[in-house]
Every structure is written in C-alpha cells, then in structure tokens.
Amino acid sequence: MTTAPEPHDAVEVITAKRDGGALSTDQIGWVVDAYTRGAVAEEQMSALAMAILLNGMDRREIGDWTAAMIVSGERMDFSSLSRPTADKHSTGGVGDKITLPLAPLVAACGVAVPQLSGRGLAHTGGTLDKMEAIAGWRASMTNEALLHQLEEIGAVVCAAGEGLAPADRKLYALRDVTGTVEAIPLIASSIMSKKIAEGTGALVLDVKVGSGAFMKSVERARELARVMVDLGTDAGVRTVALLTDMSTPLGYTAGHANEVAESLEVLAGGGPADVVELTLALAREMLAAAGVEGVDPADRLADGSAMDVWRRMVAAQGGDPSAPLPTARETHVVTAPADGVLTRLDALSVGVAAWRLGAGRERKEDPVQAAAGVTWHARPGDPVRAGQPLLTLETDTPERFERALAALDGGYDVASAGTTYQPVPLVLDRIS
C-alpha cells in the first residue's frame, strides 16, 4: 500500500517565511498537522519557528496558526452549564498566586471558572505546583468530573487534558530549546489555542510587564496583549487584557505552600494590598465579560462566601482544606544593610532565588519542594532598620542557600531615610 504524497513540502514553507512572505491558510494548516503527526522533522519546525521569530506573522496568519493548533485536538463544551463561564490567564510572574483566590471568588459571584492551569518552569511559579502543596489535592480530572464540579461548585483548578491542543504541547517543548520562546505569534497562538479549545465564553488576560515577567517592556506586552485579544475576539470569545506590573513581586511570598497561605489570607478578607487589588480588578473584568452585573466581588471576600467555594473546590479534588501546609526544615534570614527606605525589590532576583531554593524546576519532569521559597518582610516604600529581617529564605536542602543568596545580590536597594519613593501603578493598561 502506497502512502499518499504530502500536499506541501516543509522546505517550501520554511523558505517562504524565511524570505518574509505570508504563509497561506493551506500551508499553515498542513505544516502544523504534519509536524504533530511526525511528517515534518524537529529541525524543520525549528527553522520555521526561527523564521517566524525573525519575520513575524500578520493577523490572518496568526489566526490560521491558532486554528490549526486547536483542530489538532479536542474542544470542550460548557454550553450545558446553568451559569456563564469565564477564565483568566496570566503570562507568569513572581509571587503570582492570583488564580487561587480569584477562581473561588468569581464562582461565588455566579460565574463558572474552568481554570485549566500549568506547572512552573524556571523562575515563574505554576498554579498546579502551588495547589499540590495541599494534602491530597489532585490536579488531574476527567472532562465529566470537571463539568460536574463546575455545575455544583462553580470553580475548578486542574491540569489541561492531553487531548487539548496537542500540537501546542509538542511545539512548546521545541521552542524552549531553540531560542524561539519570545516570538509573539507563537506565544499568542500557544496561549489562545488552549483557551479557545477549552471552550470558555469569556477570557481575561493578565499580561505581566517588568523584570520578573516574560515581557520586559510595556510596548512588547501591549503588542502581545493586542494579538491575543484579537485572536479571542475573532474566535467568538469575549476577551480583554490587563497589563500589570511585575518589576516587584506580588504580595510577600514566592513559593508554593507560602503562596497558598497568603491566598487564604485574601479569601479570609485580609492579605497583602496588591494581591487583593489585582484579584478584585481581574474578578470585575471576568464578571463584566461574562455579563454579570450588580455584584461586587469585594463583598464576597468580606462575607466568607469565596472561602466557602475554595473549601468545596479543594475537597472535591481530594484535598483537605484544613490540613496544615508544609513548612521548610531550614531557613536563612537576610537583614537590611542600613537604616532607610526600601526602594527596590527586583522580581526576577526573588524568583530566581525561590527557584534555586527548590521551588522551581529546570525541566518539566523535575520535582519541586512544596515548602521552598522566599518571604520578604518589607515592600518598596517601606522604612527599614539596619539588622531587621528583610527576606527569609526557606528550603529543605540548606546547601541551596549559597546560590539563592547569589541571585539576591544586587536585587534590592535601601536608600537613606527621607528618600521619596514613587510607586508604579499595579495595572498599567487595559486592552479590549
């Protein structure tokens, strides 16, 4: 039996993009499918990804690429639910525990939240890793169980199924080792193929900007946000993006168990001001996109109903919401070098320190320490005294302290008392 010839040739597609041309809908559909089933070699897709990084894609091409990745797998359908759906995606940051209080909060306001999340890689923490610090909690669930939990409880945080955009999973791994992670068409299509295939009716994007973020400049972040909002809108998903600051880490903790503890403070009506501010800003955007009016999410934090949803959500996935969270066996305190004002705490430095302490991974298969991380005792603008604790490093393996301390070297500034500190707004822009 002879195999039917391929309708295109990989070299033809690579050279077209290498020379700055636009790929046709047919070429894009073929190359994504052929790569997924192994008919296009890894080195050929590597060359095409680099050509896309260098020469870009127009809106039609990015839409076609996203659509091709969606059709490589299954699509979920939430139309049977009795309430509207909304999801949030963050491009990743340090101390970014927002999903944990946000999903039950929005559910408490009457919107179903299917939060299909991922694991951390390098210095940015993964939502699933944080949730797994809770005793017994399971990340995997069937589509049937997911639908049942959304109907009964209103919120799910879980791992995306293997059948969702398999082309993206293969391409994501390739980009990571070929220097093509930063290509905006590939970032946008990677995120949006999964979110569109997931089937949510509304999507709010939290696009991080700054040293601890994927996008270091507002201009690049705005470009990425615009592309993703257009992709969602073109696919019939009500999509909006907030550009948010990630020059300083969020809250007072980076890690897994310590970020869960901080999230519980927010759900209990307290917590760090910046975490509360961003949680409420994203919740209001999700409610508006889902068409829910007249509900103030701040009330749901205050009256305990968001915490009630959290407890039910955790328990439904095998977790014990009242179990004590793990704590690190070893700690090391970094003290303030002088009296004055903390004027800078660099998000990337803190994120790399937490990663080196055991909270992060270099490869997807690496384990993480649930209790590892960093707690800071002051935020930029706060007065400090010489010798007071500034940061506490937490790990089960004390031999990690040296490299973590090296990451923090030059990662914070203390200016003389009386220095005026000018805070950066948390929400920098809104793209719709």
Side-chain angles (χ1 to χ4, degrees):
M1 179 177 156
T2 58
T3 305
E6 297 284 347
H8 292 280
D9 174 77
V11 175
E12 156 220 329
V13 178
I14 294 164
T15 54
K17 183 48 68 179
R18 180 200 67 190
D19 296 339
L23 301 181
S24 70
T25 301
D26 202 45
Q27 285 175 317
I28 289 170
W30 172 79
V31 78
V32 171
D33 172 65
Y35 173 62
T36 307
R37 55 187 168 82
V40 166
E42 296 285 339
E43 62 269 23
Q44 291 175 313
M45 186 55 95
S46 298
L48 180 57
M50 185 61 74
I52 292 168
L53 174 86
L54 296 173
N55 292 318
M57 283 179 149
D58 62 29
R59 178 170 175 172
R60 193 269 308 159
E61 285 179 286
I62 300 172
D64 286 344
W65 191 275
T66 305
M69 292 210 293
I70 292 168
V71 300
S72 73
E74 65 183 26
R75 292 191 72 156
M76 299 183 71
D77 181 4
F78 297 131
S79 61
S80 64
L81 296 176
S82 62
R83 55 172 108 186
T85 52
D87 193 4
K88 184 271 296 186
H89 178 83
S90 167
T91 56
V94 179
D96 184 9
K97 70 274 299 170
I98 301 298
T99 292
L100 279 64
L102 180 65
L105 172 59
V106 173
C109 297
V111 173
V113 184
Q115 190 71 55
L116 274 58
S117 299
R119 301 192 181 279
L121 197 59
H123 76 278
T124 60
T127 298
L128 299 182
D129 299 318
K130 301 183 210 302
M131 295 295 294
E132 284 175 341
I134 301 166
W137 186 87
R138 298 185 304 269
S140 297
M141 61 196 313
T142 65
N143 288 353
E144 292 74 24
L146 186 150
L147 275 169
H148 178 74
Q149 186 169 321
L150 283 175
E151 182 61 42
E152 295 300 313
I153 298 171
V156 170
V157 177
C158 69
E162 293 292 307
L164 213 63
D168 175 65
R169 192 160 44 253
K170 193 173 179 185
L171 184 57
Y172 188 93
L174 181 77
R175 287 165 52 216
D176 204 37
V177 296
T178 56
T180 55
V181 167
E182 291 80 6
I184 281 180
L186 300 181
I187 300 169
S189 58
S190 172
I191 292 169
M192 296 304 293
S193 63
K194 294 191 290 284
K195 290 301 178 183
I196 294 165
E198 176 195 292
T200 186
L203 176 64
V204 177
L205 300 161
D206 180 3
V207 181
K208 302 292 189 191
V209 188
S211 73
F214 206 44
M215 294 290 156
K216 308 299 184 190
S217 72
V218 171
E219 293 72 28
R220 286 274 293 169
R222 190 178 284 118
E223 181 185 352
L224 174 61
R226 179 78 269 160
V227 171
M228 291 195 294
V229 168
D230 287 347
L231 284 171
T233 302
D234 290 350
V237 180
R238 293 179 297 282
T239 309
V240 65
L242 297 183
L243 269 54
T244 68
D245 178 63
M246 189 34 72
S247 54
T248 299
L250 280 162
Y252 287 91
T253 62
H256 304 304
N258 57 7
E259 290 194 43
V260 174
E262 200 165 67
S263 300
L264 290 170
E265 293 174 16
V266 175
L267 286 165
D274 61 333
V275 177
V276 175
E277 178 188 345
L278 186 53
T279 300
L280 290 174
L282 291 165
R284 288 174 179 131
E285 292 287 355
M286 290 170 73
L287 295 175
V292 173
E293 299 175 349
V295 180
D296 185 354
D299 295 340
R300 298 293 181 266
L301 288 178
D303 67 15
S305 54
M307 180 69 90
D308 291 341
V309 175
W310 163 267
R311 290 179 173 279
R312 295 177 65 207
M313 179 183 83
V314 168
Q317 290 172 246
D320 181 354
S322 58
L325 291 162
T327 55
R329 289 196 289 269
E330 304 284 345
T331 60
H332 180 94
V333 176
V334 176
T335 58
D339 291 358
V341 177
L342 183 67
T343 54
R344 184 176 67 93
L345 181 62
D346 180 63
L348 180 59
S349 299
V350 171
V352 172
W355 171 28
R356 290 179 176 178
L357 288 165
R361 52 170 67 82
E362 294 188 40
R363 298 167 303 170
K364 286 194 172 174
E365 60 272 18
D366 291 347
V368 296
Q369 293 182 27
V374 179
T375 297
W376 45 102
H377 307 288
R379 291 185 54 80
D382 290 348
V384 296
R385 300 299 300 267
Q388 81 170 61
L390 194 61
L391 303 112
T392 300
L393 281 55
E394 303 139 349
T395 184
D396 291 337
T397 42
E399 60 271 20
R400 293 175 176 267
F401 283 136
E402 186 177 355
R403 290 192 69 233
L405 289 166
L408 291 168
D409 188 27
Y412 54 88
D413 295 327
V414 176
S416 58
T419 299
T420 302
Y421 170 72
Q422 189 63 44
V424 176
L426 186 56
V427 178
L428 302 168
D429 202 357
R430 180 181 186 275
I431 310 291
S432 61

